[in-house]
Amino acid sequence: MESGQLTLKITDDLDLLLAVLPARIQDALREEGRAAQLIEIVMDLGRLPEARYTDSEVYLSTDEITETDLNNVIESIGDFGADNRAGIERTLHRISAMRNRRGDVIGLTCRVGRAVYGVIDIIEDIVMSGKSILLLGRPGVGKTTLLREAARVLSEKKRVVIVDTSNEIAGDGDIPHPAIGRARRMQVATPTLQHEVMIEAVENHMPQAIVIDEIGRELEAIAARTIAERGVQLIGTAHGNSLENLLMNPTLSDLVGGIDSVTLSDEEARRRGTQKTVLERKAPPTFEVLIEIQDRQHMTVHHDVAEAVDALLRGWTLTPEVRWLDQNQQVQRKQVTSTATRGEEGRVGGGGRGPRIERGREEYRGERQRNGRRQAGPVEFQELVDELPEPEGVSMPPRKGQRTMVRVFPYGIGQNRLRSAAKNLNVPVDIVNELRDADIVMTLKNYFRQKPQPIIDAERRNTPVYVLRSNTVTQMEQALLDVFQLSSDTSEDSFDSAMRETQDAIQRLLRGEESVELSPQAAPIRSQQHQLARAANLISHSYGREPYRRVRIFSH
């Protein structure tokens, strides 16, 4: 973990914005005395004026807004552009208009623009690295403020051109605001021409870096790729909460490489343990680094966008860096690990499909093979859930036994399911793509009988082969219990009994009961009970302390 001191200096020219507002609104704002927290003032015809602060919303007068109030403000500011935005010359404030069908202004949103010097310190090393950066965040989180400060800092060492579509980065008027430093600003006649001005900036003004706010259209995404391919550093913003959101946006997904459907060979599909048609990254990403802005003091950094997108598409582990400000206003950095959220390889986010459950009783047998001979007895159990995420509030306790990292080469089994099994048992498993790197091989019985080349090679190398009857999380858990020489906390009889009790409870709830409390169970069984409840679209929670902790299922 590293740290650095952050020093902020804020300039907002708030008096210039207050001067264009009606006198009663000015007085009310000054009386409130919270200028530093003020975000915007809303003036809608026939409604009370309203001030929006970072933590609350306040009415500023008991008198409704009139046409005269709106017209007085409009006469005091610059002209509205095609995007219905105007400003106050040489300030960063933005006034946005709402119009009726005739084109008359019936509402104004007066956004306070601030230049925050020093806010870029939290990611200054990335900005100065020369890599193209995409800032991602919801509206109002501070993307433009960060972008403006990035332009100022970069302009001290590079030729920087800002493509300022709404004059929001460098302010209204022909003379840009001092907050952009030595950077040059190109204005855009209409928002639809933003992509053309982006290309013009590169061709006519020889920039080393281009700064662009709100990439939101397909043509702008194409222009951004053109700029990046010409070797110019690009720093831009887009709306969205996370990399996964952006990847699922068909208009903007090309910014991070895009998604393409690929058909794998039979051998490759078996090796990955997936269906033959999967989703993969289509091209190198336009932006090398992506920064998710949670708020002004918390950011998540994906230093390698290509690697992060591949992880999302294949369900691998993501390792972004989280940066935040502590109580002493110092920048803290920490590497975190999270698993990509998707149903199966090549299906980001699961496609909105609910969990799948296989009904009926089937018996499965887990067997370990070395040189073709079985080395462990069978373990029988009922398959209840094909693949479901770990429910919130249910965690596996640490177990005794071997904890050395085991490298698994999966042949024909679901890698995401294997990761879930390892997570459920809290054991260290590393999935490898090459047999020579593996400590063990895990495959299905039908593949083992066919003796494909990887299995033959594994037996020749004396690499243990664990053979599963089915491609399920529970089968993999049983195999991992054997691999790590762990003892199962629950017997087959108690497991079956608990599952039957859960199924009976679900039927009672579907017949009209409001809630049913199940018998106390160990954490692995409670996990399965929660998953069954979710599959039936019911709510469940765990209550009590171990060893009497139990699940209660609710109908609503």
Side-chain angles (χ1 to χ4, degrees):
M1 186 178 292
E2 303 175 7
S3 63
Q5 186 66 41
L6 178 65
T7 304
L8 298 179
K9 175 187 174 184
I10 301 175
T11 302
D12 56 19
D13 300 314
L14 188 58
D15 288 339
L16 295 177
L17 176 61
L18 297 182
V20 306
L21 302 176
R24 67 182 187 281
I25 296 180
Q26 295 183 37
D27 295 339
L29 287 169
R30 291 192 175 99
E31 188 174 335
E32 278 291 323
R34 292 194 291 162
Q37 287 78 44
L38 181 63
I39 298 175
E40 59 190 14
I41 302 103
V42 175
M43 300 171 59
D44 288 336
L45 185 64
R47 292 186 174 182
L48 301 181
E50 184 178 342
R52 295 175 179 172
Y53 293 91
T54 54
D55 57 355
S56 62
E57 298 178 358
V58 178
Y59 287 116
L60 299 174
S61 173
T62 56
D63 297 328
E64 296 176 348
I65 295 296
T66 65
E67 288 187 16
T68 302
D69 292 330
L70 296 176
N71 290 333
N72 288 340
V73 174
I74 293 171
E75 291 173 1
S76 304
I77 61 178
D79 297 330
F80 286 103
D83 54 0
N84 279 315
R85 292 180 179 181
I88 302 171
E89 191 164 353
R90 303 199 71 176
T91 75
L92 302 174
H93 307 306
R94 185 185 79 193
I95 294 91
S96 302
M98 285 185 176
R99 300 179 185 271
N100 61 16
R101 291 186 176 184
R102 297 187 303 272
D104 302 325
V105 176
I106 57 172
L108 294 173
T109 302
C110 306
R111 173 73 66 87
V112 178
R114 294 184 174 89
V116 185
Y117 298 89
V119 71
I120 199 66
D121 288 0
I122 195 170
I123 56 169
E124 184 175 0
D125 58 317
I126 303 174
V127 172
M128 301 305 295
S129 68
K131 295 181 178 179
S132 292
I133 305 165
L134 181 63
L135 305 174
L136 210 60
R138 64 186 185 278
V141 78
K143 298 188 298 296
T144 304
T145 302
L146 204 60
L147 201 64
R148 185 184 301 118
E149 180 68 354
R152 183 188 68 84
V153 172
L154 262 182
S155 67
E156 296 175 359
K157 296 184 178 180
K158 291 185 175 182
R159 298 187 301 273
V160 179
V161 172
I162 299 171
V163 178
D164 203 358
T165 305
S166 301
N167 286 353
E168 194 172 354
I169 300 177
D172 204 48
D174 294 334
I175 302 177
H177 193 278
I180 68 169
R182 298 179 62 247
R184 304 177 71 189
R185 187 263 299 269
M186 293 183 68
Q187 300 186 48
V188 182
T190 62
T192 55
L193 297 178
Q194 176 172 289
H195 65 285
E196 293 186 5
V197 178
M198 291 169 65
I199 299 299
E200 180 185 337
V202 177
E203 293 178 344
N204 291 355
H205 303 290
M206 296 182 61
Q208 294 173 301
I210 285 185
V211 174
I212 175 69
D213 199 9
E214 294 186 17
I215 300 174
R217 298 180 178 88
E218 186 176 3
L219 289 175
E220 294 160 11
I222 295 172
R225 176 172 291 279
T226 300
I227 292 171
E229 289 176 352
R230 296 188 183 188
V232 178
Q233 181 181 7
L234 182 63
I235 303 179
T237 67
H239 289 306
N241 291 326
S242 65
L243 172 59
E244 186 171 355
N245 294 146
L246 189 66
L247 196 59
M248 296 172 68
N249 184 329
T251 304
L252 300 180
S253 63
D254 280 349
L255 294 176
V256 291
I259 304 176
D260 201 7
S261 180
V262 176
T263 301
L264 305 176
S265 65
D266 291 341
E267 180 69 19
E268 180 67 10
R270 288 194 196 101
R271 191 181 70 81
R272 293 191 186 187
T274 66
Q275 55 191 4
K276 290 191 64 173
T277 302
V278 298
L279 298 179
E280 292 194 347
R281 179 166 50 85
K282 182 167 54 177
T286 300
F287 293 91
E288 301 163 271
V289 180
L290 184 140
I291 301 174
E292 300 170 3
I293 307 174
Q294 274 72 50
D295 55 49
R296 295 179 188 274
Q297 297 185 342
H298 296 83
M299 301 181 192
T300 301
V301 182
H302 297 278
H303 287 280
D304 189 332
V305 173
E307 184 179 284
V309 170
D310 290 342
L312 278 172
L313 292 176
R314 296 193 176 188
W316 295 343
T317 301
L318 295 175
T319 55
E321 181 186 59
V322 175
R323 300 188 179 190
W324 73 97
L325 294 181
D326 62 15
Q327 295 179 348
N328 299 320
Q329 295 300 300
Q330 289 187 327
V331 180
Q332 303 292 334
R333 308 178 188 180
K334 185 178 181 181
Q335 205 80 17
V336 299
T337 300
S338 62
T339 301
T341 56
R342 33 112 2 270
E344 296 178 2
E345 181 174 342
R347 192 176 74 229
V348 179
R353 295 169 54 185
R356 295 177 290 133
I357 180 168
E358 296 185 6
R359 305 187 182 277
R361 178 177 176 84
E362 298 177 357
E363 291 185 351
Y364 300 88
R365 186 177 303 267
E367 300 167 351
R368 182 176 53 167
Q369 303 278 343
R370 186 188 291 271
N371 293 335
R373 294 178 295 177
R374 297 178 185 174
Q375 291 194 332
V379 180
E380 296 180 353
F381 56 91
Q382 180 180 8
E383 180 190 18
L384 291 169
V385 177
D386 185 10
E387 181 182 15
L388 292 172
E390 176 90 0
E392 295 179 3
V394 179
S395 58
M396 299 300 299
R399 297 171 179 263
K400 297 179 181 179
Q402 180 185 355
R403 290 307 170 102
T404 304
M405 176 69 72
V406 172
R407 296 169 297 177
V408 181
F409 176 76
Y411 185 79
I413 67 171
Q415 295 185 13
N416 195 45
R417 300 179 190 184
L418 181 55
R419 291 188 181 93
S420 296
K423 179 182 177 183
N424 291 346
L425 296 176
N426 194 24
V427 293
V429 168
D430 181 22
I431 297 177
V432 297
N433 296 322
E434 298 293 339
L435 178 61
R436 63 175 178 270
D437 299 327
D439 298 318
I440 67 168
V441 174
M442 201 173 288
T443 188
L444 297 178
K445 189 170 185 177
N446 60 334
Y447 291 145
F448 182 78
R449 285 173 174 171
Q450 296 170 9
K451 294 295 182 185
Q453 193 61 43
I455 301 300
I456 295 174
D457 293 342
E459 293 181 341
R460 187 180 298 119
R461 292 169 176 263
N462 282 332
T463 303
V465 179
Y466 286 77
V467 181
L468 310 182
R469 282 290 185 91
S470 60
N471 192 20
T472 62
V473 173
T474 315
Q475 269 282 294
M476 296 172 194
E477 287 179 355
Q478 295 294 338
L480 291 176
L481 286 172
D482 188 18
V483 171
F484 286 90
Q485 302 175 6
L486 301 174
S487 60
S488 178
D489 287 348
T490 59
S491 67
E492 178 187 354
D493 291 341
S494 64
F495 181 87
D496 287 346
S497 175
M499 293 303 102
R500 283 192 294 270
E501 181 188 17
T502 307
Q503 291 171 334
D504 291 341
I506 290 173
Q507 293 301 320
R508 289 163 57 187
L509 290 164
L510 295 177
R511 288 194 296 266
E513 290 193 29
E514 293 185 357
S515 66
V516 177
E517 187 170 288
L518 306 178
S519 304
Q521 301 291 348
I525 289 184
R526 291 200 308 273
S527 174
Q528 297 290 336
Q529 290 174 325
H530 281 290
Q531 293 170 2
L532 279 179
R534 286 189 176 188
N537 292 322
L538 299 174
I539 301 171
S540 63
H541 297 288
S542 292
Y543 297 87
R545 295 178 178 272
E546 301 289 359
Y548 305 104
R549 193 162 176 80
R550 67 265 182 207
V551 172
R552 189 180 300 163
I553 307 177
F554 303 87
S555 58
H556 299 290

